[in-house]
Amino acid sequence: MVTRRDFPGDFSWGTATASYQVEGATSEDGRGPSIWDAFAREPGTIADGSTGDVADDHYHRYREDVELMAGLGVNAYRFSIAWPRIQADGGGPANPAGIGFYRRLAEALLERGITPFATLYHWDLPLALEEQGGWLSRDTAERFGEYAGLVAAELGDLITHWITLNEPWCSSFLGYAAGSHAPGKQLGAQAAHAAHHLLVGQGHAVAAIRAERPQAAVGVTLNLSSVRAATGSDADQDAARRVDGLQNRFFLEPVLAGRYPADVLDDLGEHDWFAAQPPGDAAIIAAPLDFLGVNYYYRQVVAAGPAGQQHREFPGSEDVRVLDTGAERTQMGWPIAPDGLVDVLEQAHRYQPSLALYVTENGAAYPDVLADGLVADEPRRRYLEQHIGACADALGKGLPLRGYFVWTLTDNFEWAFGYSRRFGLIYVDYVTQRRTVKDSGRWLTSLLSGGTP
Ligand code: IFM
């Protein structure tokens, strides 16, 4: 059984959220519209027809939420800063009201001994920038760097841990290939252009933060999945190569090794476009980092064909199918494979063995029910226990893992699923905004207090 004693004393134990998923207050204090405000209003985009207009009302209830974190016993909190709260249309000076909110949040965290980890981009691009091309435009990368510098200047006295991007694979391939996320475009392999500009933007952001705050710890968060071939056949091995290529290596390699994997550019048919990009891009993207954030949820076991089975978010993998291995799944349909977390940490570690690693998200959705003031969520507790156990295994293998963040603090707006998927350690009644700590949250408190969970 995993215990806190299996981890170093200075290990970061946190929960994670994102601005659009929890804050609400989307038109208060000078916040401009984001691509998610617009996307959620398009008919048919969100399963339950909802938006993030109110979400968890965290913008007004952040003090209560910080108290809840303190009650859980965590020592870190990963949240994201809404770019349109800082620059309503993606440019110009910082909005003092937007900065003020994040200052108050960071101060409240620090008062409770909770270290803020701020993500600068968790998908809520100012809509004005999308209207000028969004991440398909190189200019957005430049703007992102400017925004990062502004925020670091304004908040860097309180916030020392920065994450530039959250999950650029989702921003590019869900947003510009599948169209299931904002901005809802279906451009096939051209989504890779958005990925490139996101990565250039992340490099600019690293440089801008360092220019303002040389002591800051800066990283980027990638969503990696453990990918295995169904058999040793050449065709199945090739299927695994393609999915691992686009999901993992297409982001790990440019950031940590300064080059794109040539086989993935082949799969995408995008060699010419990438060859035409400014030669300095590779160095910008590979700006040295202090840590890598890894978001891990599931493993994909893949096999060759039949054509058309693969989802649109994997251009170049049209002849690949994801198998149902019979593994237990969460409500998202994601197969549970705790050892896959060790796989992806080892994969990242191989690129830069001295780079610190954080699991910046891990968690599970289940159809929770509030009954008699309690939420009995044993499957989530078990999921967390298994994955925290995998973190202990990773440490045992000598990996430089420095922290683990549960996705998520409070149930919230789960993107295209709206409020129909609950990942929280804390249940939210969306009518009353009442919060109730679930059994999994109580278990985490017990783990962190050093008792027997
Ligand atoms: O809710 C998301 C989060 O915004 C990014 N990572 C995955 C989570 C669960 O889908």
Side-chain angles (χ1 to χ4, degrees):
M1 187 178 58
V2 67
T3 75
R4 191 171 186 165
R5 289 184 298 281
D6 298 323
F7 294 82
D10 60 356
F11 197 76
S12 295
W13 293 97
T15 61
T17 65
S19 45
Y20 190 71
Q21 295 182 269
V22 297
E23 285 179 0
T26 48
S27 46
E28 278 182 48
D29 293 340
R31 178 190 180 279
S34 78
I35 54 174
W36 271 92
D37 295 289
F39 183 70
R41 281 179 167 68
E42 285 171 28
T45 54
I46 310 297
D48 58 6
S50 63
T51 70
D53 285 359
V54 177
D56 291 350
D57 196 27
H58 175 75
Y59 190 74
H60 300 113
R61 295 170 195 260
Y62 70 92
R63 283 188 191 284
E64 178 186 354
D65 290 341
V66 171
E67 288 310 306
L68 286 164
M69 285 176 229
L72 288 174
V74 296
N75 60 17
Y77 176 49
R78 173 177 176 241
F79 59 96
S80 79
I81 292 177
W83 187 350
R85 274 195 203 289
I86 307 301
Q87 295 177 307
D89 60 4
N95 167 18
I99 294 291
F101 168 65
Y102 296 107
R103 282 199 79 79
R104 293 193 297 279
L105 173 60
E107 283 165 356
L109 290 165
L110 291 168
E111 275 165 26
R112 295 306 245 130
I114 299 171
T115 301
F117 282 62
T119 303
L120 286 161
Y121 185 71
H122 197 128
W123 308 352
D124 38 5
L125 184 73
L127 186 60
L129 292 185
E130 181 57 36
E131 286 161 355
Q132 294 160 42
W135 290 109
L136 294 173
S137 161
R138 191 179 180 87
D139 188 53
T140 301
E142 313 289 334
R143 296 294 189 87
F144 183 61
E146 289 162 20
Y147 152 72
L150 275 184
V151 174
E154 296 280 354
L155 298 173
D157 56 328
L158 299 172
I159 300 173
T160 53
H161 291 72
W162 297 94
I163 294 168
T164 54
L165 301 176
N166 179 70
E167 302 182 351
W169 179 85
C170 294
S171 304
S172 47
F173 289 100
L174 295 181
Y176 292 87
S180 56
H181 277 193
K185 300 205 185 306
Q186 296 184 356
L187 303 176
Q190 278 181 37
H193 308 180
H196 180 68
H197 293 141
L198 278 150
L199 293 179
V200 172
Q202 104 84 24
H204 287 324
V206 173
I209 298 166
R210 295 216 191 285
E212 293 293 341
R213 302 284 173 182
Q215 308 303 326
V218 189
V220 63
T221 280
L222 304 179
N223 56 313
L224 305 181
S225 80
S226 165
V227 181
R228 291 201 175 161
T231 73
S233 75
D234 287 350
D236 288 354
Q237 295 289 326
D238 186 64
R241 179 195 62 72
R242 285 169 188 268
V243 174
D244 172 57
L246 197 64
Q247 176 91 62
N248 301 329
R249 291 184 290 113
F250 194 60
F251 295 89
L252 284 168
E253 277 190 41
V255 170
L256 301 181
R259 56 165 191 269
Y260 283 102
D263 63 312
V264 182
L265 295 182
D266 283 344
D267 296 342
L268 291 167
E270 286 292 332
H271 265 298
D272 291 350
W273 188 88
F274 277 80
Q277 299 313 299
D281 281 5
I284 294 172
I285 293 172
L289 298 174
D290 300 297
F291 64 89
L292 179 75
V294 173
N295 291 355
Y296 174 77
Y297 290 91
Y298 55 86
R299 170 177 288 142
Q300 304 183 64
V301 178
V302 299
Q309 287 283 308
Q310 186 55 281
H311 300 301
R312 280 193 304 265
E313 60 263 35
F314 280 96
S317 291
E318 286 74 13
D319 293 345
V320 173
R321 64 200 165 104
V322 179
L323 298 189
D324 180 354
T325 61
E328 189 185 333
R329 291 168 185 260
T330 68
Q331 194 189 4
M332 296 295 279
W334 295 342
I336 301 173
D339 57 326
L341 175 52
V342 183
D343 292 348
V344 297
L345 291 172
E346 286 186 308
Q347 182 174 11
H349 178 65
R350 282 194 286 274
Y351 287 97
Q352 282 189 22
S354 59
L355 187 64
L357 300 169
Y358 287 85
V359 175
T360 41
E361 284 183 28
N362 174 244
Y366 286 102
D368 299 316
V369 176
L370 176 65
D372 301 326
L374 296 172
V375 178
D377 60 339
E378 171 60 16
R380 179 178 295 104
R381 188 207 67 75
R382 204 166 51 240
Y383 180 100
L384 296 177
E385 182 178 43
Q386 290 170 341
H387 287 79
I388 292 172
C391 290
D393 292 344
L395 284 167
K397 289 178 170 231
L399 300 189
L401 183 63
R402 303 281 183 256
Y404 172 86
F405 293 74
V406 178
W407 184 267
T408 176
L409 176 68
T410 41
D411 295 336
N412 58 46
F413 179 80
E414 177 53 29
W415 308 112
F417 292 90
Y419 298 97
S420 69
R421 295 289 183 277
R422 294 177 178 273
F423 277 84
L425 293 167
I426 296 171
Y427 182 94
V428 176
D429 176 330
Y430 294 114
V431 176
T432 62
Q433 288 293 340
R434 196 187 151 107
R435 277 88 160 122
T436 303
V437 180
K438 301 178 191 177
D439 285 358
S440 58
R442 294 176 200 281
W443 172 83
L444 184 69
T445 305
S446 172
L447 176 88
L448 296 181
S449 69
T452 309

